[in-house]
Amino acid sequence: MSERRACRVIGADRTRVRYRPRRGDDGALRERLRALALERRRFGYRRLHILLCREGLVVNRKKVQWLYREEGLSVRRRRGRRRAVGTRAPLMLPALPNQRWSLDFVHDQLGDGRRFRVLNIVDDETRECLRAVVDTSLSGRRVVRELTELIAERGKPQMIVSDNGTELTSNAVLAFAGAFGVEWHYIAPGRPMQNGFVESFNGLRRDELLDEPLFFSQRHAREVVADWIEDYNTERPHSSLGYETPAAYAAGLHKQRKGHAPSLASTSTIRNSAQRSLLPTG
């Protein structure tokens, strides 16, 4: 049967039957996408699209997604933890940078099996990592020393949020909070999401950094962590900031709200060890 007759029988348009798609040459784009995915092994297509646009490549996000899947670059999902069931009250944001900091520790080990810890200090509004201290031992006095140096650089925050670890409930920390006039709020035991900003940062860095390289020494770990923090603050697109970098977002806030310093936008669902508390926790 001829093509003309077959199309007449089934009611199809001959131009549609004869159409052959003609795609442009995406070789350079595919090569650059593979290179970025190899460099940023835990980035999805959205962040890779942001990086491509920064380099001046005009490309649609959906096309990047299609090429990303076709090249087999999808990020392997790590095994997740069990999620808590129930209603959660949102942790509200402060109004300006440098108003509320969050602290927490993460653990890892060197290639020879020795363990080390990292103290993370995060600005809750801009998501900047203000400091990441790597050492085998981080006492309450060491925490106070790092906070004192950070306050000398940036000024003191209105409040600091942390869990109830022994280093953060020590006499040195309590004396520091009283001396500097900083409100120190402890989350309820067993409620890490009341300190969700730094917990999210910890999970992100473990996924993109701590689970990837092998650290040969404590000095090597400090160098790698410092390089990653610099990249995180100045280069990595952050989805919760509209895919801006934390440093660019902070600069925009300072420029927009210069000379205006309101109090916290709203209270948080975290517990204070003193009588005053932000909100009753539940």
Side-chain angles (χ1 to χ4, degrees), residues 90-94 100-104 122-127 161 192-204 232 238 240 268:
L91 186 63
M92 305 305 292
L93 285 173
R100 189 172 72 204
W101 296 349
S102 296
L103 275 67
D104 199 12
V122 175
D123 189 302
D124 288 357
E125 169 65 13
T126 65
R127 310 301 202 277
V161 184
M193 283 313 299
Q194 291 183 5
N195 200 13
F197 296 107
V198 72
E199 291 287 349
S200 175
F201 173 79
N202 290 344
L204 174 69
Y232 169 84
H238 205 296
S240 65
S268 172

Side-chain angles (χ1 to χ4, degrees), residues 4 13 30 44 59 70 73 92 103 166 181 197 231 272:
R4 186 190 304 272
D13 191 345
R30 288 175 182 268
V59 57
E70 195 171 80
L73 302 176
M92 305 305 292
L103 275 67
T166 56
F197 296 107
D231 179 80
N272 186 0

Side-chain angles (χ1 to χ4, degrees), residues 104-277:
D104 199 12
F105 294 93
V106 292
H107 304 257
D108 207 339
Q109 64 180 14
L110 304 176
D112 58 6
R114 290 183 299 164
R115 301 191 64 83
F116 65 90
R117 307 175 74 194
V118 185
L119 169 65
N120 297 319
I121 307 176
V122 175
D123 189 302
D124 288 357
E125 169 65 13
T126 65
R127 310 301 202 277
E128 290 178 283
C129 180
L130 307 180
R131 186 156 295 192
V133 185
V134 180
D135 211 330
T136 54
S137 177
L138 293 168
S139 64
R141 291 182 179 179
R142 178 66 181 279
V143 172
V144 168
R145 186 166 78 243
E146 297 294 339
L147 287 173
T148 303
E149 294 177 359
L150 190 57
I151 288 176
E153 296 173 7
R154 299 176 60 96
K156 72 173 184 177
Q158 291 186 12
M159 83 175 70
I160 296 177
V161 184
S162 74
D163 59 21
N164 297 270
T166 56
E167 304 88 351
L168 303 176
T169 56
S170 62
N171 290 330
V173 168
L174 298 178
F176 160 84
F180 281 85
V182 176
E183 295 183 49
W184 197 295
H185 292 270
Y186 296 100
I187 65 174
R191 302 280 183 168
M193 283 313 299
Q194 291 183 5
N195 200 13
F197 296 107
V198 72
E199 291 287 349
S200 175
F201 173 79
N202 290 344
L204 174 69
R205 187 170 63 181
R206 181 163 297 281
D207 183 53
E208 295 184 4
L209 176 67
L210 298 182
D211 288 346
E212 294 292 322
L214 181 65
F215 301 109
F216 299 103
S217 65
Q218 187 171 305
R219 179 180 179 181
H220 178 227
R222 286 172 177 166
E223 293 174 352
V224 172
V225 169
D227 291 342
W228 188 87
I229 293 300
E230 178 67 21
D231 179 80
Y232 169 84
N233 285 334
T234 60
E235 297 293 334
R236 185 188 185 280
H238 205 296
S239 59
S240 65
L241 303 178
Y243 289 100
E244 288 189 79
T245 63
Y249 181 76
L253 285 181
H254 282 298
K255 183 178 180 181
Q256 180 181 0
R257 305 177 182 180
K258 187 177 181 181
H260 177 61
S263 59
L264 286 177
S266 59
T267 53
S268 172
T269 59
I270 47 182
R271 178 177 61 84
N272 186 0
S273 61
Q275 293 297 325
R276 295 181 302 167
S277 60

Side-chain angles (χ1 to χ4, degrees), residues 70-81:
E70 195 171 80
E71 292 294 323
L73 302 176
S74 298
V75 177
R76 179 178 61 86
R77 292 185 178 273
R78 302 192 189 277
R79 186 177 180 181
R81 299 177 298 175

